Amino acid sequence: MVELKTDASIDAMHAAGHVVGQALTAVRKAADVGVSLLELDEVAREVLRAAGASSPFLGYRPSFAPTPFPAVICASVNEAIVHGIPTPYRLRDGDLVSIDCGAVLDGWAGDSAISFTVGRPRAADLRLIDTAERALAAGIEAAVVGNRVGDIASAVGSVCRAGGYGIPDGFGGHGIGRHMHEDPPVPNEGRAGRGLRLRHGMVLAIEPMLTAGGGDGYHALPDGWTLRTDDGSRAAHVEHTVAVTEGGPRVLTAR
Ligand code: MG
Ligand code: MG
C-alpha cells in the first residue's frame, strides 16, 4: 500500500533528509587515500549522533541477509555495486567509492547515496559517475504529479543505457516514509506511461545503479551483503529521497 504524506510529514522528512545530506557531505570530505571504510562509518555515526537521529541501516536484516547490517553507511568500492559493509580496508589512489546513508529523525526516514573517486581519478570512472548523476536528475525530473512510476524508471534507464552501462537486475528505488523501504518499488528501467500514477504526497527514493561493463548480473560476496558486478567492472550508485508535490519534485536529501 502506498501511503501519501501530508505536507507537514514531508517537512519532517526534509529534516531527516537534511541529516543524511550532512552525513554524506562529511563522509565525502573525510574520504581520502589511506582512510578506512570503518573510519568513514564513524564520521557518519557522529553526524547522526549530533543531530539526535538514528540509523535505519544499523541492525537492518532483510530476508536475504545472513546477519544484521553492522554499520550506518554502506561503503561499496570499485566493482562493489551496493550494500558494502564498512571494513578496515583503506582507500587507495583511484578508488571509486559509493556511500549510501540513511537517518531516522522524529520517526521519519531519509535515504541518499553518492559516488566519488579518491586520489587521481580514472576518466572512465568520472564518466560513469556523471552518467549516474544525470540518470538520477532525469528520474527526479519525471517525479511529477500525473506521471507514472514507469516514467521515472524509463527516464533513469534511458540515461544509463545511452551511456552503454548495465543496470543491476532487480534492484532499484522505493517508497519511503516512517520506514526506509515502503511501496511502491521504483525500478531503474521500465516503460514510460506504465505503473502507478504519481500523486501529491508520494515520497520516493530514486537510486540509479550502473555497471561500467554493461552487464546486469551481480552476486553477493561471502559476507552475504556486498553485491559485486559479475563482469568485474566498476559500479556507481547515487540516490535522493524525493517528494512528489503539486509544486514539482522536492528533493529532501539535497546536500
Ligand atoms: Mg540508500
Ligand atoms: Mg534506498
Side-chain angles (χ1 to χ4, degrees), residues 139 143 148-154 156 171-176 182-189 198 203-209:
R148 292 179 183 271
V149 168
D151 292 304
I152 298 175
S154 170
V156 168
F171 276 92
H174 48 89
I176 178 170
E182 297 185 354
D183 283 336
V186 184
N188 285 330
E189 191 162 37
L198 304 180
V203 183
L204 308 171
I206 302 173
E207 48 181 314
M209 304 163 198

Side-chain angles (χ1 to χ4, degrees), residues 57 74 83 99-102 110-113 174 180-181 205 207 237-241:
F57 289 20
C74 298
H83 300 170
I99 303 290
D100 196 344
C101 185
D111 188 10
S112 183
H174 48 89
M180 179 168 60
H181 292 134
E207 48 181 314
H237 172 223
V238 296
E239 175 180 26
H240 270 309
T241 295

Side-chain angles (χ1 to χ4, degrees), residues 46-177:
E46 187 48 44
V47 172
L48 267 57
R49 202 179 291 137
S54 61
S55 168
F57 289 20
L58 188 64
Y60 187 58
R61 190 177 181 184
S63 54
F64 65 80
T67 52
F69 196 77
V72 307
I73 60 169
C74 298
S76 307
V77 180
N78 296 336
E79 62 281 355
I81 308 166
V82 288
H83 300 170
I85 294 179
T87 64
Y89 174 82
R90 292 190 179 279
L91 293 171
R92 296 177 189 164
D93 190 37
D95 275 350
L96 191 174
V97 190
S98 296
I99 303 290
D100 196 344
C101 185
V104 174
L105 189 69
D106 295 328
W108 294 100
D111 188 10
S112 183
I114 50 173
S115 286
F116 55 87
T117 59
V118 295
R120 286 165 296 182
R122 299 183 185 184
D125 289 345
L126 296 181
R127 191 176 85 86
L128 180 69
I129 294 167
D130 176 69
T131 307
E133 289 173 348
R134 285 191 295 106
L136 176 57
I140 293 169
E141 203 174 310
V144 296
V145 173
N147 263 2
R148 292 179 183 271
V149 168
D151 292 304
I152 298 175
S154 170
V156 168
S158 300
V159 174
C160 299
R161 294 295 186 198
Y165 299 124
I167 300 171
D169 201 20
F171 276 92
H174 48 89
I176 178 170

Side-chain angles (χ1 to χ4, degrees), residues 3-7 10 145 199-203 243-246:
E3 185 206 346
L4 297 178
K5 278 75 179 179
T6 64
D7 291 350
I10 291 172
V145 173
R199 297 170 61 190
H200 179 90
M202 282 187 189
V203 183
V244 178
T245 78
E246 294 290 357

